[in-house]
Amino acid sequence: MCCLLPDTVLAIPPRVPHDKGMSRIPLVGLCWDGSVSHRPGAALGPAHIRTALHDPAGNGWSRHGVDAVSLITDFGDITVAPDTSTAGAMDAIADALDDRLPDQVTPLLLGGDHSVTLPVLRVLSRRGLRPAILHLDAHPDLYPDFEGDQYSHACPFARILEEGLASALVQVGVRTMNDVQRNTARRHGVRSFLPDAWEEGLASLTAGPLYLSIDLDALDPAFAPGVAHPEPGGLSVREVLGLIDRLPPTLIGADIVEYTPACDLNGTTARVAARLVKELVPVLSQGVGERE
């Protein structure tokens, strides 16, 4: 027996029309996982996230009534030969991304391992932007080097801070901070918050341009099992969506990284990543409209 609920109890948000400051957002895959320390495969992440994004079993709309997929311009993938050095890969990704993206855009990047955030910030710096970074992750990624590699996926935010590419770094979801990384955090004034303090972390952001970097292992493995370094006790999907809803309109770019398809269960993590794309696109798009 089917029971229809009365309209009065349906909390359906109104559709946000595209003519209200909505701009197209470039989507780029960064297919590099040569900097991983365990379980490679993140280079395959962008293709699987795109498949989930366009799955006919769903649709392209955000929770708040925006046809998000229709606002995406897909600029394809940037690939790097697997035998490239990690330092060389960072240079190659930055140069290719700088060539591919038009000026004055607000990009959404799909990784790839987390090292790819470094070349993205280098490109933003070339364009005169030095944003604060909101970093969602189980791990702080602040090692001076990891296993002798300064460009490991365990190190990108140490490099970003050393190169002066960010005005501030706020980390949310971190639950593996050790003494080595804590020293880096203290030296650079990093603010790091446990998963259950995500609202406090969001509130600590200052005004100005903002870049969002989401490592999918920020989420609890119950919600996102398809990562190389799962760490219990993480954020829920609903908490991350709530955080996205409260982002300021100064967001100038975002990445979603460290999806490892071989570690996933029934494509669950790919669908989570696709949902994050659908929710981030309207925020990025409206931010472009406000800045124009």
Side-chain angles (χ1 to χ4, degrees), residues 72-147:
I72 293 172
T73 299
D74 198 326
F75 280 68
D77 291 333
I78 292 171
T79 59
V80 181
D83 59 349
T84 305
S85 70
T86 53
M90 299 301 98
D91 292 337
I93 292 170
D95 290 343
L97 190 61
D98 205 9
D99 289 342
R100 189 167 303 194
L101 288 181
D103 290 337
Q104 305 303 318
V105 298
T106 305
L108 178 54
L109 299 313
L110 304 177
D113 70 48
H114 216 151
S115 69
V116 301
T117 300
L118 172 59
V120 175
L121 268 291
R122 285 176 173 174
V123 171
L124 294 178
S125 178
R126 293 176 189 178
R127 299 181 179 193
L129 295 168
R130 187 171 177 262
I133 300 174
L134 177 59
H135 169 206
L136 276 57
D137 205 323
H139 312 90
D141 293 351
L142 288 170
Y143 282 104
D145 69 84
F146 192 77
E147 298 177 342

Side-chain angles (χ1 to χ4, degrees), residues 194-218:
L194 291 167
D196 55 3
W198 68 267
E199 291 178 296
E200 184 181 352
L202 191 61
S204 76
L205 293 171
T206 56
L210 177 68
Y211 184 87
L212 174 66
S213 184
I214 301 177
D215 186 322
L216 288 165
D217 68 28

